[in-house]
Amino acid sequence: MSAQRQGLAMSGTGVEGARHFERALDALLFFRGEVADEAQAVVAASPDSVMGRVLCAYLGLLGTEEKEAASAADAFGVFRKGLDLAGISSRERLHVAAAEAWLAGDLHGAGRRLGELSTAFPHDVLALAVGHQIDFFTGDAQRLRDRIGGALGSWDDLDDPWRGPLLGMYAFGLEESGHYEHAEEVGRQAVEQHPQDVWGIHAVVHTFEMRGRFADGIRFLDARADDWASGNYLNVHNWWHYALYALEAGDLDRVLGVYDSALHHDGSEGLAMELLDASALLWRLLLAGHDTGDRWAALAGAWAGRADGSYYAFNDAHAVMAYAGAGRLADAERLVADRERRLAVGHRPGVTNHAMTRDIGLPVCRALIAFRQERYARVVELLAPIRHRLGEFGGSHAQRDAVQRTLVEAALRAGRHDLARTLLSERVHLRPVCPYNWLAWARLADRVGDAAQAATARARAGKQAAEGAAALRSA
Ligand SMILES: [Fe+2]
């Protein structure tokens, strides 16, 4: 449904610009690469298009790439200087305010303005899609769910082609807030409407991950590989999910095969959002004691080549994983020292990443380094106080589980049996099907001399892994 068709006027935008804008939105909703060209085509055809300029600003921010964001800020700044706010619609003014807030580093402020916008204009699909990603970057499960849920009641045309991707977003919000069955049902509706709705596919994939249904997850992804496995912005991340299933199934060859072919290789583009998946997978393998050859070295080199400044704490933690994994502890320490220096310069309340870094990013980075130094009691000291707040630095439950597992491993290795038992008890009751949890439970039982309980837990892990392994074999 186009902006025009929905009665959403676009200042300074001619017919050709509007046509490109609609194509850009369609590409954005389905994570297709042509979104960037289409957005540029809007402003080429209509240089005064407010929505075209706003869209270009958002696209410069959605990749969490500092340098792209800086270019987007420059370009939008020039446009903004010549813009008469009185001459544009209230909807466009809210978009301008949201884009300016985010360009200035205020993700929460941008998310709030987009929320106001969605209340007044629930058909504005750009406000919903961008707001949804902001909720993801700020790890806000409730807003991930309610921002979209609050708009869906106004999307009563069931044949509207953009209603499907909204259902995919809603499914992800439902999943992150723990409504797994409902999330799966809504996500499947989205994928039924548009088989190439990779965000909808991703939402369903998360529901399997969180319920330990990795055999179902493997089958679900295998059955529709043509729709998600290449040619979109989310394919690396969905391959990461596939690798998580394979890891739970105990198929290390498959995990490394996916890593080498999809997650990180010589042809990888080196985007932060892709490198972090590679880091997160190798870190899980490191925690489990698997040798991953020279993969850490290549990955750490890719992170180092980016020379990132303090921009997004969630990315920082994954860069530190790579440095620590590769044994480049001096580089990891350097990143931490740089972020500490920036925080010391002064409090910047309007910059979301400031608090993210101070409260979550730095403790996590320090813990990852301490883990590699085998200072497990220190890891516990750093992570235990923030383990219920990790969401504040963004990402999904599944992504942050790499950090939660670091705490479990550290508690086990530090001999903190009380804490390890508590953490594992939480985990096995929340997700009874998860070989990782049961194997860790078995190791704890070994340490406290309960051989019978260890054997039971190992048998349970083996049985659960076998089902996933069978699904992989039939793939
Ligand atoms: Fe995910």
Side-chain angles (χ1 to χ4, degrees), residues 125-154:
V125 77
L126 180 63
L128 292 168
V130 171
H132 186 66
Q133 291 302 321
I134 287 177
D135 296 336
F136 177 50
F137 295 140
T138 53
D140 191 333
Q142 200 173 329
R143 279 196 172 82
L144 273 169
R145 182 192 66 198
D146 293 344
R147 185 186 298 274
I148 308 301
L152 274 173
S154 304

PDB file of all heavy atoms in Angstrom, residues 125-154:
ATOM      1  N   VAL A 125       4.046   2.687   7.373  1.00  0.00           N
ATOM      2  CA  VAL A 125       4.798   1.440   7.540  1.00  0.00           C
ATOM      3  C   VAL A 125       6.280   1.708   7.804  1.00  0.00           C
ATOM      4  O   VAL A 125       6.956   0.920   8.476  1.00  0.00           O
ATOM      5  CB  VAL A 125       4.578   0.526   6.306  1.00  0.00           C
ATOM      6  CG1 VAL A 125       5.393   0.992   5.116  1.00  0.00           C
ATOM      7  CG2 VAL A 125       4.873  -0.924   6.628  1.00  0.00           C
ATOM      8  N   LEU A 126       6.786   2.841   7.319  1.00  0.00           N
ATOM      9  CA  LEU A 126       8.204   3.164   7.572  1.00  0.00           C
ATOM     10  C   LEU A 126       8.423   3.415   9.067  1.00  0.00           C
ATOM     11  O   LEU A 126       9.401   2.925   9.646  1.00  0.00           O
ATOM     12  CB  LEU A 126       8.615   4.401   6.758  1.00  0.00           C
ATOM     13  CG  LEU A 126      10.069   4.848   6.931  1.00  0.00           C
ATOM     14  CD1 LEU A 126      11.044   3.774   6.449  1.00  0.00           C
ATOM     15  CD2 LEU A 126      10.333   6.169   6.196  1.00  0.00           C
ATOM     16  N   ALA A 127       7.509   4.157   9.690  1.00  0.00           N
ATOM     17  CA  ALA A 127       7.642   4.426  11.129  1.00  0.00           C
ATOM     18  C   ALA A 127       7.612   3.119  11.918  1.00  0.00           C
ATOM     19  O   ALA A 127       8.356   2.953  12.899  1.00  0.00           O
ATOM     20  CB  ALA A 127       6.517   5.343  11.591  1.00  0.00           C
ATOM     21  N   LEU A 128       6.781   2.175  11.490  1.00  0.00           N
ATOM     22  CA  LEU A 128       6.678   0.896  12.206  1.00  0.00           C
ATOM     23  C   LEU A 128       7.941   0.060  12.010  1.00  0.00           C
ATOM     24  O   LEU A 128       8.489  -0.498  12.963  1.00  0.00           O
ATOM     25  CB  LEU A 128       5.446   0.124  11.714  1.00  0.00           C
ATOM     26  CG  LEU A 128       4.095   0.763  12.082  1.00  0.00           C
ATOM     27  CD1 LEU A 128       2.963   0.107  11.302  1.00  0.00           C
ATOM     28  CD2 LEU A 128       3.850   0.645  13.585  1.00  0.00           C
ATOM     29  N   ALA A 129       8.403  -0.007  10.753  1.00  0.00           N
ATOM     30  CA  ALA A 129       9.570  -0.859  10.470  1.00  0.00           C
ATOM     31  C   ALA A 129      10.831  -0.315  11.136  1.00  0.00           C
ATOM     32  O   ALA A 129      11.619  -1.076  11.719  1.00  0.00           O
ATOM     33  CB  ALA A 129       9.781  -0.968   8.958  1.00  0.00           C
ATOM     34  N   VAL A 130      11.021   1.000  11.072  1.00  0.00           N
ATOM     35  CA  VAL A 130      12.225   1.588  11.682  1.00  0.00           C
ATOM     36  C   VAL A 130      12.117   1.533  13.201  1.00  0.00           C
ATOM     37  O   VAL A 130      13.074   1.179  13.892  1.00  0.00           O
ATOM     38  CB  VAL A 130      12.426   3.034  11.171  1.00  0.00           C
ATOM     39  CG1 VAL A 130      13.534   3.730  11.938  1.00  0.00           C
ATOM     40  CG2 VAL A 130      12.746   3.025   9.680  1.00  0.00           C
ATOM     41  N   GLY A 131      10.931   1.846  13.722  1.00  0.00           N
ATOM     42  CA  GLY A 131      10.735   1.764  15.171  1.00  0.00           C
ATOM     43  C   GLY A 131      10.985   0.352  15.690  1.00  0.00           C
ATOM     44  O   GLY A 131      11.579   0.150  16.754  1.00  0.00           O
ATOM     45  N   HIS A 132      10.547  -0.635  14.919  1.00  0.00           N
ATOM     46  CA  HIS A 132      10.736  -2.043  15.300  1.00  0.00           C
ATOM     47  C   HIS A 132      12.227  -2.370  15.421  1.00  0.00           C
ATOM     48  O   HIS A 132      12.663  -3.022  16.369  1.00  0.00           O
ATOM     49  CB  HIS A 132      10.079  -2.919  14.232  1.00  0.00           C
ATOM     50  CG  HIS A 132      10.057  -4.388  14.544  1.00  0.00           C
ATOM     51  ND1 HIS A 132       9.339  -4.921  15.588  1.00  0.00           N
ATOM     52  CD2 HIS A 132      10.662  -5.443  13.927  1.00  0.00           C
ATOM     53  CE1 HIS A 132       9.500  -6.244  15.602  1.00  0.00           C
ATOM     54  NE2 HIS A 132      10.306  -6.587  14.613  1.00  0.00           N
ATOM     55  N   GLN A 133      13.018  -1.877  14.468  1.00  0.00           N
ATOM     56  CA  GLN A 133      14.461  -2.149  14.538  1.00  0.00           C
ATOM     57  C   GLN A 133      15.101  -1.408  15.704  1.00  0.00           C
ATOM     58  O   GLN A 133      16.020  -1.920  16.342  1.00  0.00           O
ATOM     59  CB  GLN A 133      15.143  -1.777  13.209  1.00  0.00           C
ATOM     60  CG  GLN A 133      14.761  -2.695  12.050  1.00  0.00           C
ATOM     61  CD  GLN A 133      15.086  -4.167  12.295  1.00  0.00           C
ATOM     62  OE1 GLN A 133      16.119  -4.494  12.872  1.00  0.00           O
ATOM     63  NE2 GLN A 133      14.204  -5.058  11.879  1.00  0.00           N
ATOM     64  N   ILE A 134      14.612  -0.206  16.004  1.00  0.00           N
ATOM     65  CA  ILE A 134      15.136   0.516  17.178  1.00  0.00           C
ATOM     66  C   ILE A 134      14.826  -0.286  18.447  1.00  0.00           C
ATOM     67  O   ILE A 134      15.672  -0.402  19.344  1.00  0.00           O
ATOM     68  CB  ILE A 134      14.541   1.943  17.249  1.00  0.00           C
ATOM     69  CG1 ILE A 134      15.184   2.815  16.163  1.00  0.00           C
ATOM     70  CG2 ILE A 134      14.752   2.557  18.632  1.00  0.00           C
ATOM     71  CD1 ILE A 134      14.636   4.224  16.081  1.00  0.00           C
ATOM     72  N   ASP A 135      13.642  -0.854  18.518  1.00  0.00           N
ATOM     73  CA  ASP A 135      13.291  -1.674  19.684  1.00  0.00           C
ATOM     74  C   ASP A 135      14.224  -2.881  19.797  1.00  0.00           C
ATOM     75  O   ASP A 135      14.559  -3.323  20.905  1.00  0.00           O
ATOM     76  CB  ASP A 135      11.834  -2.151  19.582  1.00  0.00           C
ATOM     77  CG  ASP A 135      10.854  -0.987  19.610  1.00  0.00           C
ATOM     78  OD1 ASP A 135      11.210   0.079  20.142  1.00  0.00           O
ATOM     79  OD2 ASP A 135       9.730  -1.150  19.081  1.00  0.00           O
ATOM     80  N   PHE A 136      14.643  -3.395  18.658  1.00  0.00           N
ATOM     81  CA  PHE A 136      15.602  -4.515  18.633  1.00  0.00           C
ATOM     82  C   PHE A 136      16.975  -4.030  19.113  1.00  0.00           C
ATOM     83  O   PHE A 136      17.613  -4.657  19.956  1.00  0.00           O
ATOM     84  CB  PHE A 136      15.652  -5.066  17.211  1.00  0.00           C
ATOM     85  CG  PHE A 136      16.633  -6.175  16.990  1.00  0.00           C
ATOM     86  CD1 PHE A 136      16.673  -7.289  17.822  1.00  0.00           C
ATOM     87  CD2 PHE A 136      17.517  -6.122  15.923  1.00  0.00           C
ATOM     88  CE1 PHE A 136      17.587  -8.315  17.595  1.00  0.00           C
ATOM     89  CE2 PHE A 136      18.423  -7.140  15.692  1.00  0.00           C
ATOM     90  CZ  PHE A 136      18.456  -8.229  16.533  1.00  0.00           C
ATOM     91  N   PHE A 137      17.420  -2.892  18.599  1.00  0.00           N
ATOM     92  CA  PHE A 137      18.752  -2.384  18.984  1.00  0.00           C
ATOM     93  C   PHE A 137      18.813  -1.974  20.458  1.00  0.00           C
ATOM     94  O   PHE A 137      19.889  -1.876  21.027  1.00  0.00           O
ATOM     95  CB  PHE A 137      19.146  -1.175  18.121  1.00  0.00           C
ATOM     96  CG  PHE A 137      19.321  -1.506  16.669  1.00  0.00           C
ATOM     97  CD1 PHE A 137      18.872  -0.634  15.682  1.00  0.00           C
ATOM     98  CD2 PHE A 137      19.928  -2.683  16.272  1.00  0.00           C
ATOM     99  CE1 PHE A 137      19.022  -0.936  14.338  1.00  0.00           C
ATOM    100  CE2 PHE A 137      20.076  -3.002  14.930  1.00  0.00           C
ATOM    101  CZ  PHE A 137      19.622  -2.127  13.967  1.00  0.00           C
ATOM    102  N   THR A 138      17.645  -1.697  21.038  1.00  0.00           N
ATOM    103  CA  THR A 138      17.634  -1.339  22.454  1.00  0.00           C
ATOM    104  C   THR A 138      17.137  -2.508  23.316  1.00  0.00           C
ATOM    105  O   THR A 138      16.954  -2.345  24.523  1.00  0.00           O
ATOM    106  CB  THR A 138      16.730  -0.102  22.699  1.00  0.00           C
ATOM    107  OG1 THR A 138      15.439  -0.349  22.127  1.00  0.00           O
ATOM    108  CG2 THR A 138      17.327   1.142  22.054  1.00  0.00           C
ATOM    109  N   GLY A 139      16.930  -3.657  22.685  1.00  0.00           N
ATOM    110  CA  GLY A 139      16.555  -4.875  23.421  1.00  0.00           C
ATOM    111  C   GLY A 139      15.251  -4.729  24.202  1.00  0.00           C
ATOM    112  O   GLY A 139      15.117  -5.280  25.294  1.00  0.00           O
ATOM    113  N   ASP A 140      14.292  -3.999  23.627  1.00  0.00           N
ATOM    114  CA  ASP A 140      13.054  -3.711  24.356  1.00  0.00           C
ATOM    115  C   ASP A 140      11.940  -4.658  23.899  1.00  0.00           C
ATOM    116  O   ASP A 140      11.196  -4.369  22.955  1.00  0.00           O
ATOM    117  CB  ASP A 140      12.669  -2.244  24.108  1.00  0.00           C
ATOM    118  CG  ASP A 140      11.548  -1.778  25.031  1.00  0.00           C
ATOM    119  OD1 ASP A 140      10.745  -2.618  25.466  1.00  0.00           O
ATOM    120  OD2 ASP A 140      11.496  -0.568  25.304  1.00  0.00           O
ATOM    121  N   ALA A 141      11.823  -5.770  24.583  1.00  0.00           N
ATOM    122  CA  ALA A 141      10.900  -6.831  24.150  1.00  0.00           C
ATOM    123  C   ALA A 141       9.454  -6.345  24.117  1.00  0.00           C
ATOM    124  O   ALA A 141       8.699  -6.672  23.195  1.00  0.00           O
ATOM    125  CB  ALA A 141      11.030  -8.037  25.071  1.00  0.00           C
ATOM    126  N   GLN A 142       9.066  -5.576  25.111  1.00  0.00           N
ATOM    127  CA  GLN A 142       7.666  -5.154  25.179  1.00  0.00           C
ATOM    128  C   GLN A 142       7.308  -4.223  24.023  1.00  0.00           C
ATOM    129  O   GLN A 142       6.238  -4.331  23.428  1.00  0.00           O
ATOM    130  CB  GLN A 142       7.422  -4.459  26.512  1.00  0.00           C
ATOM    131  CG  GLN A 142       5.958  -4.423  26.879  1.00  0.00           C
ATOM    132  CD  GLN A 142       5.754  -3.869  28.281  1.00  0.00           C
ATOM    133  OE1 GLN A 142       6.600  -4.037  29.156  1.00  0.00           O
ATOM    134  NE2 GLN A 142       4.652  -3.205  28.483  1.00  0.00           N
ATOM    135  N   ARG A 143       8.227  -3.304  23.721  1.00  0.00           N
ATOM    136  CA  ARG A 143       7.946  -2.407  22.594  1.00  0.00           C
ATOM    137  C   ARG A 143       8.025  -3.147  21.253  1.00  0.00           C
ATOM    138  O   ARG A 143       7.295  -2.825  20.324  1.00  0.00           O
ATOM    139  CB  ARG A 143       8.908  -1.220  22.602  1.00  0.00           C
ATOM    140  CG  ARG A 143       8.502  -0.137  23.573  1.00  0.00           C
ATOM    141  CD  ARG A 143       9.228   1.170  23.290  1.00  0.00           C
ATOM    142  NE  ARG A 143       8.701   2.261  24.093  1.00  0.00           N
ATOM    143  CZ  ARG A 143       9.044   2.509  25.361  1.00  0.00           C
ATOM    144  NH1 ARG A 143       9.921   1.731  25.956  1.00  0.00           N
ATOM    145  NH2 ARG A 143       8.524   3.516  26.033  1.00  0.00           N
ATOM    146  N   LEU A 144       8.934  -4.133  21.167  1.00  0.00           N
ATOM    147  CA  LEU A 144       8.995  -4.934  19.935  1.00  0.00           C
ATOM    148  C   LEU A 144       7.615  -5.525  19.630  1.00  0.00           C
ATOM    149  O   LEU A 144       7.193  -5.619  18.483  1.00  0.00           O
ATOM    150  CB  LEU A 144      10.010  -6.073  20.086  1.00  0.00           C
ATOM    151  CG  LEU A 144      11.469  -5.773  19.747  1.00  0.00           C
ATOM    152  CD1 LEU A 144      12.364  -6.919  20.199  1.00  0.00           C
ATOM    153  CD2 LEU A 144      11.664  -5.515  18.253  1.00  0.00           C
ATOM    154  N   ARG A 145       6.942  -5.914  20.700  1.00  0.00           N
ATOM    155  CA  ARG A 145       5.615  -6.519  20.554  1.00  0.00           C
ATOM    156  C   ARG A 145       4.537  -5.452  20.342  1.00  0.00           C
ATOM    157  O   ARG A 145       3.759  -5.510  19.397  1.00  0.00           O
ATOM    158  CB  ARG A 145       5.314  -7.326  21.829  1.00  0.00           C
ATOM    159  CG  ARG A 145       3.999  -8.053  21.842  1.00  0.00           C
ATOM    160  CD  ARG A 145       3.697  -8.567  23.250  1.00  0.00           C
ATOM    161  NE  ARG A 145       3.495  -7.464  24.178  1.00  0.00           N
ATOM    162  CZ  ARG A 145       3.562  -7.573  25.505  1.00  0.00           C
ATOM    163  NH1 ARG A 145       3.848  -8.714  26.080  1.00  0.00           N
ATOM    164  NH2 ARG A 145       3.345  -6.516  26.271  1.00  0.00           N
ATOM    165  N   ASP A 146       4.501  -4.447  21.221  1.00  0.00           N
ATOM    166  CA  ASP A 146       3.336  -3.557  21.263  1.00  0.00           C
ATOM    167  C   ASP A 146       3.347  -2.474  20.191  1.00  0.00           C
ATOM    168  O   ASP A 146       2.282  -1.991  19.808  1.00  0.00           O
ATOM    169  CB  ASP A 146       3.218  -2.924  22.649  1.00  0.00           C
ATOM    170  CG  ASP A 146       2.881  -3.974  23.700  1.00  0.00           C
ATOM    171  OD1 ASP A 146       2.447  -5.079  23.310  1.00  0.00           O
ATOM    172  OD2 ASP A 146       3.058  -3.704  24.898  1.00  0.00           O
ATOM    173  N   ARG A 147       4.512  -2.065  19.730  1.00  0.00           N
ATOM    174  CA  ARG A 147       4.546  -1.050  18.665  1.00  0.00           C
ATOM    175  C   ARG A 147       3.763  -1.566  17.450  1.00  0.00           C
ATOM    176  O   ARG A 147       2.979  -0.841  16.849  1.00  0.00           O
ATOM    177  CB  ARG A 147       5.991  -0.760  18.257  1.00  0.00           C
ATOM    178  CG  ARG A 147       6.119   0.365  17.229  1.00  0.00           C
ATOM    179  CD  ARG A 147       7.557   0.517  16.761  1.00  0.00           C
ATOM    180  NE  ARG A 147       8.488   0.882  17.812  1.00  0.00           N
ATOM    181  CZ  ARG A 147       8.737   2.128  18.215  1.00  0.00           C
ATOM    182  NH1 ARG A 147       8.144   3.133  17.627  1.00  0.00           N
ATOM    183  NH2 ARG A 147       9.595   2.367  19.197  1.00  0.00           N
ATOM    184  N   ILE A 148       3.985  -2.833  17.109  1.00  0.00           N
ATOM    185  CA  ILE A 148       3.314  -3.402  15.938  1.00  0.00           C
ATOM    186  C   ILE A 148       1.891  -3.816  16.299  1.00  0.00           C
ATOM    187  O   ILE A 148       0.944  -3.561  15.554  1.00  0.00           O
ATOM    188  CB  ILE A 148       4.103  -4.615  15.393  1.00  0.00           C
ATOM    189  CG1 ILE A 148       5.586  -4.245  15.174  1.00  0.00           C
ATOM    190  CG2 ILE A 148       3.462  -5.122  14.096  1.00  0.00           C
ATOM    191  CD1 ILE A 148       5.828  -3.108  14.219  1.00  0.00           C
ATOM    192  N   GLY A 149       1.749  -4.433  17.462  1.00  0.00           N
ATOM    193  CA  GLY A 149       0.401  -4.853  17.898  1.00  0.00           C
ATOM    194  C   GLY A 149      -0.554  -3.674  17.934  1.00  0.00           C
ATOM    195  O   GLY A 149      -1.730  -3.793  17.579  1.00  0.00           O
ATOM    196  N   GLY A 150      -0.043  -2.520  18.347  1.00  0.00           N
ATOM    197  CA  GLY A 150      -0.886  -1.331  18.463  1.00  0.00           C
ATOM    198  C   GLY A 150      -1.346  -0.783  17.124  1.00  0.00           C
ATOM    199  O   GLY A 150      -2.335  -0.050  17.057  1.00  0.00           O
ATOM    200  N   ALA A 151      -0.623  -1.112  16.076  1.00  0.00           N
ATOM    201  CA  ALA A 151      -0.989  -0.601  14.744  1.00  0.00           C
ATOM    202  C   ALA A 151      -1.847  -1.587  13.965  1.00  0.00           C
ATOM    203  O   ALA A 151      -2.636  -1.205  13.098  1.00  0.00           O
ATOM    204  CB  ALA A 151       0.276  -0.286  13.944  1.00  0.00           C
ATOM    205  N   LEU A 152      -1.700  -2.881  14.270  1.00  0.00           N
ATOM    206  CA  LEU A 152      -2.336  -3.901  13.421  1.00  0.00           C
ATOM    207  C   LEU A 152      -3.851  -3.746  13.319  1.00  0.00           C
ATOM    208  O   LEU A 152      -4.447  -4.070  12.293  1.00  0.00           O
ATOM    209  CB  LEU A 152      -1.983  -5.305  13.948  1.00  0.00           C
ATOM    210  CG  LEU A 152      -0.667  -5.882  13.424  1.00  0.00           C
ATOM    211  CD1 LEU A 152      -0.338  -7.191  14.146  1.00  0.00           C
ATOM    212  CD2 LEU A 152      -0.745  -6.109  11.907  1.00  0.00           C
ATOM    213  N   GLY A 153      -4.461  -3.242  14.379  1.00  0.00           N
ATOM    214  CA  GLY A 153      -5.919  -3.055  14.363  1.00  0.00           C
ATOM    215  C   GLY A 153      -6.382  -2.110  13.275  1.00  0.00           C
ATOM    216  O   GLY A 153      -7.551  -2.125  12.884  1.00  0.00           O
ATOM    217  N   SER A 154      -5.477  -1.278  12.791  1.00  0.00           N
ATOM    218  CA  SER A 154      -5.826  -0.333  11.726  1.00  0.00           C
ATOM    219  C   SER A 154      -5.535  -0.907  10.344  1.00  0.00           C
ATOM    220  O   SER A 154      -5.821  -0.271   9.337  1.00  0.00           O
ATOM    221  CB  SER A 154      -5.042   0.969  11.904  1.00  0.00           C
ATOM    222  OG  SER A 154      -5.286   1.502  13.184  1.00  0.00           O
TER     223      SER A 154
END
